[in-house]
Amino acid sequence: DTAVSQTPKYLVTQMGNDKSIKCEQNLGHDTMYWYKQDSKKFLKIMFSYNNKELIINETVPNRFSPKSPDKAHLNLHINSLELGDSAVYFCASSQDFRSYNEQFFGPGTRLTVL
Amino acid sequence: AQKITQTQPGMFVQEKEAVTLDCTYDTSDPSYGLFWYKQPSSGEMIFLIYQGSYDQQNATEGRYSLNFQKARKSANLVISASQLGDSAMYFCAMTAGGGGSNYKLTFGKGTLLTVNP
């Protein structure tokens, strides 16, 4: 059973389009995250949610809107895609917010904006 | 704010030898957690090992051990008996503090390890 799953795995789209990435975890975790990995492999937090509540929005443009319909899901919607949005997006989850809890990562979604 | 520094963009090691990947961190919070993740060429992020700031002993997980030197703010990963499958990007990361600060991992830039046969 996949612990953290993301769909789609690959996403190729034109500039200006709107797209969504879905994330689900079946670990019963309270906290979920979105990270962006750029072309130089640098990973940076975008959003954190705890029990469906937004906790961190790390200076992400308004074009990015996360939505957590329940504790097990955290989706990412991106409006008006730009070339600079091309990256790998990772969803992750942890048991809760305490610092000693490892984060389990999904397989990533490679977004290419043409 | 937390910061992780990995100064080795790339490392090479012979199969069956040990290798140390360097990581230094910076935080003013007394409570923090340090993590190492492995990212093979297939792209997934694999958790390797965790060290808490109040842990008295260095963490170990199989062939992985974390050389935690609190005064120097370093958390180096030691891989013993390297295998070809260890070739990957390795990331050091941390969480720190209370409240909102804990709700994220801050990553270093990574070290690309290549194991030679």
Side-chain angles (χ1 to χ4, degrees), chain B residues 28-76:
Chain B
S28 55
D29 290 297
S31 175
Y32 51 88
L34 296 157
F35 302 78
W36 279 91
Y37 283 82
K38 171 184 178 182
Q39 187 176 40
S41 57
S42 50
E44 70 268 32
M45 294 288 290
I46 302 167
F47 166 75
L48 295 178
I49 197 165
Y50 164 84
Q51 180 84 42
S53 58
Y54 295 117
D55 293 344
Q56 294 297 314
Q57 292 190 326
N58 287 344
T60 59
E61 288 285 350
R63 294 186 299 110
Y64 305 108
S65 59
L66 201 152
N67 185 0
F68 181 45
Q69 298 191 39
K70 200 168 183 176
R72 293 185 178 184
K73 293 192 173 180
S74 75
N76 298 340

Side-chain angles (χ1 to χ4, degrees), chain A residues 4 7-8 21 23 35 38 43 45 48 61 65 84 98-99:
Chain A
V4 183
T7 52
I21 305 172
C23 177
Y35 289 89
D38 64 23
L43 277 149
I45 185 73
S48 297
S65 53
R98 286 173 289 190
S99 64

Side-chain angles (χ1 to χ4, degrees), chain A residues 91-104:
Chain A
C91 177
S93 74
S94 64
Q95 186 171 351
D96 54 41
F97 63 88
R98 286 173 289 190
S99 64
Y100 53 79
N101 286 312
E102 70 179 270
Q103 293 185 18
F104 293 80

